[in-house]
C-alpha cells in the first residue's frame, strides 16, 4: 500500500539548496502516525550514506504538523518566512547530517 511520497532532489529546487527533501503523506488515515517521520529519517540516512553533510526542506507556515516533524528530526528554520508568487507562506529549514 502506498501512503505517500518521500524524495530528495539533488539539484536546487525553487531556491532551496540541494539536497532538498519533499515529503507528502497523501493517505489521510496515515497522517499523525509517525509514517512521515520514519520516511524522513530514512531519506536523511540515505543522504548521510552518500556523504552529504546537510539537507534542506521547506514547509507551509500554516502546516504545524510538518513543522513539528522537521524540528523533531533536527531541522532548524532558516531566515524569516517568505511568500511565493502564488501567495503561499513558506519557511525554509536545514539540518546538519552527522555520523553518530
Amino acid at each position: 500500500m502506498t501512503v505517500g511520497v518521500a524524495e530528495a532532489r539533488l539539484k536546487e529546487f525553487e531556491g532551496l539548496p540541494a539536497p532538498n527533501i519533499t515529503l507528502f503523506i497523501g493517505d489521510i488515515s496515515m497522517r499523525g502516525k509517525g509514517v512521515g517521520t520514519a520516511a524522513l529519517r530514512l531519506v536523511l540516512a540515505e543522504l548521510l550514506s552518500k556523504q552529504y553533510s546537510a539537507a534542506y526542506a521547506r514547509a507551509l507556515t500554516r502546516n504545524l504538523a510538518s513543522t513539528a516533524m522537521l524540528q523533531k528530526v533536527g531541522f532548524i528554520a532558516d531566515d524569516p518566512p517568505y511568500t511565493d508568487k502564488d501567495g503561499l507562506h513558506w519557511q525554509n529549514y536545514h539540518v546538519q547530517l552527522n555520523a553518530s
Side-chain angles (χ1 to χ4, degrees), residues 27-38:
D27 182 342
I28 294 171
S29 71
M30 297 303 292
R31 293 180 185 170
K33 297 184 178 182
V35 174
T37 301

Side-chain angles (χ1 to χ4, degrees), residues 2-3 6-7 13 20 22 30-31 42 45 52-53 66 70 72 75-77 84 86 99:
T2 301
V3 300
E7 67 181 5
F13 175 72
N20 55 72
T22 299
M30 297 303 292
R31 293 180 185 170
L42 287 170
Y52 288 95
S53 60
S66 288
L70 290 169
K72 183 190 309 186
F75 278 85
I76 299 168
D84 71 10
D86 297 317

Side-chain angles (χ1 to χ4, degrees), residues 23-79:
L23 180 66
F24 177 71
I25 304 301
D27 182 342
I28 294 171
S29 71
M30 297 303 292
R31 293 180 185 170
K33 297 184 178 182
V35 174
T37 301
L40 181 56
R41 286 186 172 135
L42 287 170
V43 171
L44 292 174
E46 182 65 18
L47 290 172
L48 181 60
S49 78
K50 303 291 187 205
Q51 307 299 311
Y52 288 95
S53 60
Y56 303 87
R58 69 179 184 169
L60 290 167
T61 56
R62 69 174 183 250
N63 190 334
L64 302 180
S66 288
T67 297
M69 178 188 62
L70 290 169
Q71 291 174 341
K72 183 190 309 186
V73 300
F75 278 85
I76 299 168
D78 287 332
D79 302 319

Side-chain angles (χ1 to χ4, degrees), residues 2-21:
T2 301
V3 300
V5 169
E7 67 181 5
R9 289 186 184 91
L10 303 181
K11 293 184 179 178
E12 180 182 314
F13 175 72
E14 295 185 2
L16 199 58
N20 55 72
I21 298 170

